[in-house]
Amino acid sequence: MSSTQQPDTRFLDVPGGRIAFDDSGAATGGATVVLLPGILESRTLYRFLRPLLTAAGHRVISMDLRGFGESSIAWDDYSPDAVAQDVLALLDHLDIARAVLVGHSYTCATVVKAAAAAPERVAGVAVTAAFLEHSPNALQRALMKALAPLVLTFPGVWGSAQRYYYPSRRPADFENHRARLVAALRTPGRKAATRGQLTGDSIALGAAATVRCPALVIMGGKDVDFPDPAALADRQAAALKGRKVMIGGAGHYPMAEFPEATADALLPFLHEVA
């Protein structure tokens, strides 16, 4: 598995800064899909999944979050709620009436909140490795609380943690991608963005109850961020009134560790929505 070429970057100016994104162009009978990366990541997270979705006829847009990737760094607000407004602004900018929103980890709260706030714009949501509720596990809560100051002081810690997030196999470009993540955290001005995401409120299980569009929950069977990934996926699927797909052997980044299996989970859902 090797990395694919990154599509040309485009930009959208919104109040407070500039959002970077790419767009595969018109769909050929499929759905329009917006891919949102997770915490401290860029849209290159989807470098293996994106071509699998476009090859199936879907229009695929991937977006960098506030403060990361090629988006501008300094913002007043890095929360999932603010990113949800960026997503809706991007749909307006591209004259897209409805789209399927795919979130990962931190941005699963974004897609849930966007679907709850603007149901007429969201055709479906897919959440992957989602943080949508406070963990019932005391040790995990303590680790998450300690993460922010640790990563802010020692960005290399985040790079080291990546080795545990890919428990079964790593992409051919894993070391390069890991080095880019650490270099991004060391960029001047990035501490505020890092702190903004690590301390942002990604709890949205309550909002999930108001989502009326089709929903899909994707979870890696070996995701070390969750003591019981399958049970968590069950709760999320129940709250969203959707279905779950477990990807056996996958960790926190199934779209990069098992892109084909992730596509196999997403494509039937996108076909139904389209």
Side-chain angles (χ1 to χ4, degrees):
M1 181 169 51
S2 60
S3 182
T4 58
Q5 185 176 1
Q6 181 71 18
D8 292 338
T9 302
R10 298 168 61 182
F11 295 96
L12 169 65
D13 289 319
V14 298
R18 173 171 286 191
I19 296 298
F21 69 97
D22 56 65
D23 183 359
S24 68
T28 55
T32 297
V33 186
V34 180
L35 304 175
L36 300 174
I39 199 164
L40 310 186
E41 265 285 359
S42 75
R43 69 189 198 276
T44 60
L45 178 63
Y46 292 102
R47 62 199 182 278
F48 305 113
L49 180 63
R50 184 195 304 105
L52 299 177
L53 301 184
T54 56
H58 302 289
R59 179 180 183 179
V60 181
I61 299 156
S62 52
M63 188 182 108
D64 281 328
L65 308 182
R66 297 175 171 217
F68 289 88
E70 295 179 89
S71 293
S72 53
I73 295 176
W75 298 78
D76 292 334
D77 189 353
Y78 299 93
S79 69
D81 296 87
V83 176
Q85 293 306 309
D86 295 338
V87 173
L88 297 175
L90 182 58
L91 296 183
D92 288 339
H93 175 68
L94 296 174
D95 197 25
I96 296 170
R98 286 166 62 80
V100 178
L101 306 183
V102 179
H104 173 252
S105 188
Y106 181 74
T107 54
C108 292
T110 290
V111 304
V112 166
K113 292 183 177 186
E120 74 282 359
R121 309 301 303 278
V122 181
V125 296
V127 297
T128 308
F131 280 96
L132 291 176
E133 62 181 281
H134 291 290
S135 173
N137 184 278
L139 177 59
Q140 186 189 34
R141 292 197 303 273
L143 289 173
M144 293 302 295
K145 187 175 181 179
L147 181 63
L150 192 61
V151 172
L152 285 167
T153 306
F154 305 105
V157 168
W158 186 247
S160 297
Q162 297 301 304
R163 296 189 178 98
Y164 299 96
Y165 286 138
Y166 293 78
S168 295
R169 64 181 188 179
R170 297 170 182 168
D173 66 349
F174 173 78
E175 291 300 333
N176 287 335
H177 185 73
R178 190 168 67 90
R180 287 195 297 270
L181 291 178
V182 176
L185 294 180
R186 290 174 173 155
T187 303
R190 192 84 70 180
K191 275 193 175 183
T194 302
R195 183 182 295 107
Q197 283 199 355
L198 289 174
T199 59
D201 185 5
S202 63
I203 306 307
L205 203 63
T210 68
V211 172
R212 295 291 178 262
C213 63
L216 175 68
V217 175
I218 300 174
M219 183 70 72
K222 291 186 177 180
D223 192 330
V224 296
D225 269 347
F226 308 116
D228 190 340
L232 178 65
D234 282 334
R235 289 198 301 274
Q236 293 172 355
L240 289 164
K241 301 178 184 64
R243 67 176 183 268
K244 75 168 185 180
V245 175
M246 299 296 298
I247 299 180
H252 198 60
Y253 299 99
M255 69 290 291
E257 188 178 15
F258 291 98
E260 295 85 2
T262 306
D264 288 343
L266 269 172
L267 288 174
F269 177 73
L270 296 178
H271 177 74
E272 292 170 13
V273 173

